[in-house]
Amino acid sequence: MHTINVKTNSRFDIIDITEEVRRCVLEERVESGIAVIFTPHTTAGVGINENADSNVLFDMKNAFNKVVAQHDNYRHSEGNSQAHVLSSLVSPSLTVIIENRDIVLGVWQDIYFFEFDGARNRKVYVQVMKK
């Protein structure tokens, strides 16, 4: 298992971790298989989305804030209920296919770490499995 250390810079941050995941796969020398990407945090997540236009990430932040308000009479005493709800919507894990020693993504896709309760130092684990 590999560990990717992610430093987030704001309460709500989206960070491209594609190259780090790719490095993990290359180190394992797996020709064909899968990689599971998992973050062990209840206020963060991982996902795949567009890499060509940075406005997509901006729009995603705006949309997430409209769907789940930062302050909305939540009962959780730590003040980060929005982060917990958003992390459930995004998911703490995803699986990608490995073929020809590389992760399989669409032309416009990258893998992102979603921070909903930062700025923080976070971890993402990558487990590579052979076919």
Side-chain angles (χ1 to χ4, degrees), residues 103-130:
I103 54 178
V104 176
L105 293 172
V107 172
W108 308 114
Q109 290 181 321
D110 271 345
I111 300 168
Y112 292 95
F113 177 85
F114 291 82
E115 171 66 69
F116 300 117
D117 195 26
R120 297 185 182 220
N121 292 313
R122 300 291 202 162
K123 294 198 179 305
V124 175
Y125 298 118
V126 179
Q127 182 69 54
V128 177
M129 292 169 271
K130 290 182 193 180

Short mmCIF file of all heavy atoms in Angstrom, two decimals, residues 103-130:
data_model
loop_
_atom_site.label_atom_id
_atom_site.label_comp_id
_atom_site.label_asym_id
_atom_site.label_seq_id
_atom_site.Cartn_x
_atom_site.Cartn_y
_atom_site.Cartn_z
N ILE A 103 -2.91 3.96 -15.19
CA ILE A 103 -4.32 4.07 -14.86
C ILE A 103 -5.10 4.46 -16.11
O ILE A 103 -4.60 5.18 -16.97
CB ILE A 103 -4.56 5.08 -13.71
CG1 ILE A 103 -3.95 6.45 -14.02
CG2 ILE A 103 -4.03 4.53 -12.41
CD1 ILE A 103 -4.19 7.50 -12.96
N VAL A 104 -6.32 3.96 -16.20
CA VAL A 104 -7.17 4.25 -17.35
C VAL A 104 -8.11 5.39 -16.97
O VAL A 104 -8.95 5.25 -16.07
CB VAL A 104 -7.97 3.00 -17.78
CG1 VAL A 104 -8.93 3.34 -18.91
CG2 VAL A 104 -7.03 1.86 -18.17
N LEU A 105 -7.96 6.50 -17.65
CA LEU A 105 -8.82 7.67 -17.47
C LEU A 105 -9.23 8.19 -18.84
O LEU A 105 -8.51 7.98 -19.83
CB LEU A 105 -8.10 8.79 -16.70
CG LEU A 105 -7.75 8.52 -15.25
CD1 LEU A 105 -6.86 9.63 -14.70
CD2 LEU A 105 -9.01 8.39 -14.41
N GLY A 106 -10.34 8.89 -18.89
CA GLY A 106 -10.74 9.55 -20.12
C GLY A 106 -9.81 10.71 -20.44
O GLY A 106 -9.06 11.18 -19.59
N VAL A 107 -9.88 11.19 -21.65
CA VAL A 107 -9.00 12.26 -22.12
C VAL A 107 -9.03 13.46 -21.18
O VAL A 107 -8.01 14.08 -20.90
CB VAL A 107 -9.39 12.69 -23.55
CG1 VAL A 107 -8.62 13.92 -24.00
CG2 VAL A 107 -9.18 11.54 -24.52
N TRP A 108 -10.22 13.80 -20.69
CA TRP A 108 -10.37 15.01 -19.89
C TRP A 108 -10.50 14.72 -18.39
O TRP A 108 -10.94 15.58 -17.63
CB TRP A 108 -11.58 15.81 -20.36
CG TRP A 108 -11.56 16.07 -21.84
CD1 TRP A 108 -12.43 15.58 -22.78
CD2 TRP A 108 -10.61 16.84 -22.57
NE1 TRP A 108 -12.09 16.00 -24.03
CE2 TRP A 108 -10.95 16.78 -23.93
CE3 TRP A 108 -9.49 17.58 -22.20
CZ2 TRP A 108 -10.23 17.44 -24.92
CZ3 TRP A 108 -8.76 18.23 -23.19
CH2 TRP A 108 -9.14 18.15 -24.52
N GLN A 109 -10.14 13.52 -17.96
CA GLN A 109 -10.33 13.14 -16.55
C GLN A 109 -9.03 13.15 -15.76
O GLN A 109 -7.98 12.76 -16.26
CB GLN A 109 -10.93 11.74 -16.45
CG GLN A 109 -12.36 11.65 -16.92
CD GLN A 109 -12.90 10.24 -16.76
OE1 GLN A 109 -12.21 9.26 -17.00
NE2 GLN A 109 -14.16 10.16 -16.36
N ASP A 110 -9.13 13.58 -14.51
CA ASP A 110 -8.07 13.46 -13.51
C ASP A 110 -8.70 13.02 -12.20
O ASP A 110 -9.93 13.09 -12.01
CB ASP A 110 -7.32 14.78 -13.32
CG ASP A 110 -6.16 14.95 -14.29
OD1 ASP A 110 -5.73 13.94 -14.91
OD2 ASP A 110 -5.64 16.08 -14.41
N ILE A 111 -7.85 12.61 -11.27
CA ILE A 111 -8.29 12.17 -9.95
C ILE A 111 -8.05 13.32 -8.97
O ILE A 111 -6.96 13.90 -8.94
CB ILE A 111 -7.52 10.92 -9.50
CG1 ILE A 111 -7.74 9.78 -10.50
CG2 ILE A 111 -7.93 10.51 -8.08
CD1 ILE A 111 -6.81 8.59 -10.31
N TYR A 112 -9.08 13.63 -8.19
CA TYR A 112 -9.00 14.78 -7.29
C TYR A 112 -9.24 14.38 -5.84
O TYR A 112 -10.06 13.50 -5.54
CB TYR A 112 -10.05 15.84 -7.69
CG TYR A 112 -9.73 16.48 -9.00
CD1 TYR A 112 -10.31 16.01 -10.18
CD2 TYR A 112 -8.84 17.54 -9.08
CE1 TYR A 112 -10.00 16.59 -11.40
CE2 TYR A 112 -8.53 18.12 -10.31
CZ TYR A 112 -9.12 17.64 -11.46
OH TYR A 112 -8.81 18.20 -12.67
N PHE A 113 -8.54 15.08 -4.95
CA PHE A 113 -8.78 15.00 -3.51
C PHE A 113 -9.64 16.21 -3.16
O PHE A 113 -9.32 17.35 -3.52
CB PHE A 113 -7.46 15.06 -2.73
CG PHE A 113 -7.66 15.06 -1.26
CD1 PHE A 113 -7.81 13.87 -0.57
CD2 PHE A 113 -7.70 16.25 -0.55
CE1 PHE A 113 -8.01 13.86 0.80
CE2 PHE A 113 -7.90 16.25 0.82
CZ PHE A 113 -8.05 15.05 1.49
N PHE A 114 -10.74 15.97 -2.47
CA PHE A 114 -11.66 17.02 -2.06
C PHE A 114 -11.52 17.28 -0.57
O PHE A 114 -11.78 16.38 0.24
CB PHE A 114 -13.11 16.61 -2.35
CG PHE A 114 -13.45 16.54 -3.81
CD1 PHE A 114 -13.13 15.42 -4.55
CD2 PHE A 114 -14.08 17.60 -4.43
CE1 PHE A 114 -13.44 15.34 -5.90
CE2 PHE A 114 -14.39 17.53 -5.78
CZ PHE A 114 -14.07 16.41 -6.52
N GLU A 115 -11.12 18.47 -0.22
CA GLU A 115 -11.00 18.89 1.19
C GLU A 115 -12.21 19.75 1.52
O GLU A 115 -12.50 20.71 0.81
CB GLU A 115 -9.73 19.71 1.38
CG GLU A 115 -9.61 20.37 2.73
CD GLU A 115 -9.48 19.37 3.85
OE1 GLU A 115 -8.43 18.71 3.93
OE2 GLU A 115 -10.43 19.24 4.65
N PHE A 116 -12.90 19.37 2.60
CA PHE A 116 -14.08 20.13 3.01
C PHE A 116 -13.92 20.77 4.39
O PHE A 116 -14.83 21.43 4.87
CB PHE A 116 -15.32 19.23 3.00
CG PHE A 116 -15.62 18.63 1.66
CD1 PHE A 116 -15.59 17.27 1.46
CD2 PHE A 116 -15.94 19.44 0.57
CE1 PHE A 116 -15.87 16.70 0.22
CE2 PHE A 116 -16.22 18.90 -0.67
CZ PHE A 116 -16.19 17.52 -0.85
N ASP A 117 -12.77 20.55 5.05
CA ASP A 117 -12.61 21.02 6.44
C ASP A 117 -11.15 21.41 6.70
O ASP A 117 -10.59 21.09 7.74
CB ASP A 117 -13.06 19.90 7.40
CG ASP A 117 -13.26 20.39 8.82
OD1 ASP A 117 -13.54 21.58 9.02
OD2 ASP A 117 -13.13 19.56 9.74
N GLY A 118 -10.53 22.12 5.77
CA GLY A 118 -9.10 22.43 5.88
C GLY A 118 -8.86 23.81 6.42
O GLY A 118 -9.78 24.43 6.91
N ALA A 119 -7.67 24.26 6.29
CA ALA A 119 -6.48 23.69 5.68
C ALA A 119 -5.89 22.63 6.61
O ALA A 119 -5.85 22.81 7.81
CB ALA A 119 -5.45 24.79 5.41
N ARG A 120 -5.40 21.54 5.99
CA ARG A 120 -4.89 20.41 6.77
C ARG A 120 -3.86 19.63 5.98
O ARG A 120 -3.73 19.77 4.78
CB ARG A 120 -6.02 19.47 7.15
CG ARG A 120 -7.07 20.09 8.03
CD ARG A 120 -8.06 19.06 8.44
NE ARG A 120 -9.08 19.70 9.26
CZ ARG A 120 -9.59 19.16 10.32
NH1 ARG A 120 -9.23 17.98 10.71
NH2 ARG A 120 -10.52 19.79 11.00
N ASN A 121 -3.18 18.75 6.70
CA ASN A 121 -2.34 17.73 6.08
C ASN A 121 -3.16 16.45 6.09
O ASN A 121 -3.59 16.00 7.15
CB ASN A 121 -1.03 17.55 6.84
CG ASN A 121 -0.15 18.78 6.72
OD1 ASN A 121 0.05 19.30 5.64
ND2 ASN A 121 0.37 19.25 7.84
N ARG A 122 -3.35 15.87 4.91
CA ARG A 122 -4.22 14.70 4.77
C ARG A 122 -3.44 13.54 4.15
O ARG A 122 -2.37 13.72 3.59
CB ARG A 122 -5.41 15.03 3.87
CG ARG A 122 -6.28 16.15 4.38
CD ARG A 122 -7.04 15.77 5.62
NE ARG A 122 -8.21 16.64 5.76
CZ ARG A 122 -9.24 16.37 6.52
NH1 ARG A 122 -9.29 15.25 7.22
NH2 ARG A 122 -10.25 17.20 6.58
N LYS A 123 -4.05 12.37 4.22
CA LYS A 123 -3.47 11.17 3.63
C LYS A 123 -4.45 10.54 2.65
O LYS A 123 -5.66 10.57 2.87
CB LYS A 123 -3.11 10.16 4.70
CG LYS A 123 -2.01 10.63 5.63
CD LYS A 123 -1.40 9.49 6.37
CE LYS A 123 -0.29 9.94 7.28
NZ LYS A 123 0.76 10.70 6.66
N VAL A 124 -3.90 9.98 1.59
CA VAL A 124 -4.66 9.17 0.64
C VAL A 124 -3.87 7.88 0.48
O VAL A 124 -2.65 7.91 0.28
CB VAL A 124 -4.80 9.87 -0.72
CG1 VAL A 124 -5.47 8.97 -1.73
CG2 VAL A 124 -5.57 11.18 -0.58
N TYR A 125 -4.56 6.76 0.59
CA TYR A 125 -3.91 5.46 0.43
C TYR A 125 -4.26 4.90 -0.95
O TYR A 125 -5.39 5.03 -1.42
CB TYR A 125 -4.37 4.48 1.50
CG TYR A 125 -4.00 4.94 2.90
CD1 TYR A 125 -4.99 5.19 3.85
CD2 TYR A 125 -2.68 5.13 3.25
CE1 TYR A 125 -4.66 5.60 5.12
CE2 TYR A 125 -2.34 5.56 4.53
CZ TYR A 125 -3.32 5.79 5.47
OH TYR A 125 -3.00 6.21 6.72
N VAL A 126 -3.27 4.25 -1.57
CA VAL A 126 -3.47 3.61 -2.87
C VAL A 126 -3.03 2.16 -2.74
O VAL A 126 -1.89 1.87 -2.39
CB VAL A 126 -2.64 4.31 -3.97
CG1 VAL A 126 -2.85 3.62 -5.32
CG2 VAL A 126 -3.01 5.79 -4.06
N GLN A 127 -3.97 1.27 -3.01
CA GLN A 127 -3.70 -0.18 -3.00
C GLN A 127 -3.82 -0.67 -4.43
O GLN A 127 -4.86 -0.55 -5.06
CB GLN A 127 -4.71 -0.92 -2.12
CG GLN A 127 -4.46 -2.40 -2.03
CD GLN A 127 -3.21 -2.74 -1.25
OE1 GLN A 127 -3.05 -2.29 -0.11
NE2 GLN A 127 -2.32 -3.49 -1.84
N VAL A 128 -2.72 -1.22 -4.95
CA VAL A 128 -2.66 -1.70 -6.32
C VAL A 128 -2.79 -3.22 -6.31
O VAL A 128 -2.11 -3.89 -5.54
CB VAL A 128 -1.34 -1.27 -7.00
CG1 VAL A 128 -1.23 -1.82 -8.41
CG2 VAL A 128 -1.21 0.25 -7.00
N MET A 129 -3.67 -3.75 -7.17
CA MET A 129 -3.88 -5.20 -7.24
C MET A 129 -3.75 -5.68 -8.67
O MET A 129 -4.28 -5.06 -9.60
CB MET A 129 -5.27 -5.53 -6.70
CG MET A 129 -5.38 -5.27 -5.21
SD MET A 129 -7.06 -5.34 -4.61
CE MET A 129 -7.55 -3.65 -4.84
N LYS A 130 -3.05 -6.81 -8.84
CA LYS A 130 -2.87 -7.42 -10.15
C LYS A 130 -4.14 -8.12 -10.60
O LYS A 130 -4.91 -8.63 -9.79
CB LYS A 130 -1.77 -8.48 -10.11
CG LYS A 130 -0.41 -7.96 -9.93
CD LYS A 130 0.56 -9.13 -9.96
CE LYS A 130 1.92 -8.70 -9.46
NZ LYS A 130 2.85 -9.84 -9.50
#
